[in-house]
Amino acid sequence: MMNSSGDESVEAAVTLGLLAAWVLHDLEELATVPGWWRRNLPALRERYPAVPEAVWRRAGSVDGREFAVAVGAMAAVVASASVAGRLTGGRSATYQTALGAFGLHGLVHLAQAGLVRGYTPGSATAPLIVVPFTLWARQRLRRAGVLRATRPRDLAVGLGFAGAATVGAHAVARRLSKT
C-alpha cells in the first residue's frame, strides 16, 4: 500500500503481527516447557556438568503456573512494542528492537535444540514462525524505508532487551505465584 508521499506504508500485519507470531510461538512453549524440564533435567545435568547447579535448580523449580504467569508478563512487553510499532508506522525503536530480539530468540531456540541434539520447547515454531516472520517484517520495514540499519551493537541491545524482559517476566511470575 502506498501512502500520500509515495512511500510504501507499513501494514498492521508487520507491527501487530509481531504479537501474533509471538503468541503462536509461546503457545508451543506453554504446552511443552514444564513437562520437558521434568523429563530432561537429569540428562542435561549429566551432559553439561560445567553448568552451575543453581541454574539447574532454578530451571527445575519453575512450575506450569509460574511459567504461564511469566508468559503473560512477557505478553505485555511484546504487545506494548507491537502497538508502538503500529502507532509509528514501524519506526519505533522499541518495536524494531523487539522484532530483532524476537528473531534472535528464534535462533537461540535452534541453537538450544542443536546443543541437546533434539527437541527443546520453542524449537518447532522457531524455524516455522519466529525466524520467517522476523525476516518478512524486516523486509517490509526496509521496503517502506523505515528499517534502521542493524549494527553489531543493535544485536547486543536486542539480546539484552530479550534477556532483561525474560528475567523481569520471571521475577514478576515468581512473586505473583507465591501469593
Side-chain angles (χ1 to χ4, degrees):
M1 178 184 346
M2 302 294 260
N3 65 25
S4 60
S5 69
D7 295 332
E8 186 171 330
S9 65
V10 174
E11 64 268 24
V14 174
T15 54
L16 300 179
L18 172 60
L19 179 59
W22 177 87
V23 166
L24 292 172
H25 172 68
D26 269 47
L27 285 172
E28 176 194 1
E29 291 183 340
L30 279 169
T32 60
V33 164
W36 187 89
W37 274 114
R38 277 192 305 279
R39 289 186 308 277
N40 291 281
L41 191 56
L44 291 171
R45 272 188 168 121
E46 191 173 308
R47 186 183 294 166
Y48 300 104
V51 174
E53 184 57 31
V55 171
W56 297 128
R57 274 195 311 275
R58 177 68 184 112
S61 72
V62 177
D63 64 13
R65 179 175 182 254
E66 181 180 329
F67 187 73
V69 172
V71 168
M74 186 63 83
V77 173
V78 177
S80 295
S82 296
V83 168
R86 183 68 187 138
L87 293 173
T88 62
R91 288 175 175 79
S92 164
T94 299
Y95 164 74
Q96 289 194 23
T97 299
L99 177 64
F102 184 59
L104 291 171
H105 173 77
L107 297 178
V108 167
H109 276 297
L110 296 175
Q112 289 170 335
L115 283 172
V116 303
R117 296 181 213 115
Y119 175 81
T120 58
S123 65
T125 53
L128 299 175
I129 295 172
V130 177
V131 173
F133 173 80
T134 302
L135 293 173
W136 174 81
R138 287 179 53 80
Q139 181 265 337
R140 299 301 297 199
L141 294 171
R142 186 177 300 108
R143 189 180 302 165
V146 300
L147 181 65
R148 294 184 339 253
T150 303
R151 303 164 305 207
R153 177 187 170 278
D154 299 321
L155 297 174
V157 168
L159 285 173
F161 177 87
T166 300
V167 168
H170 279 279
V172 166
R174 179 147 286 210
R175 184 164 195 109
L176 291 177
S177 295
K178 287 183 177 181
T179 60

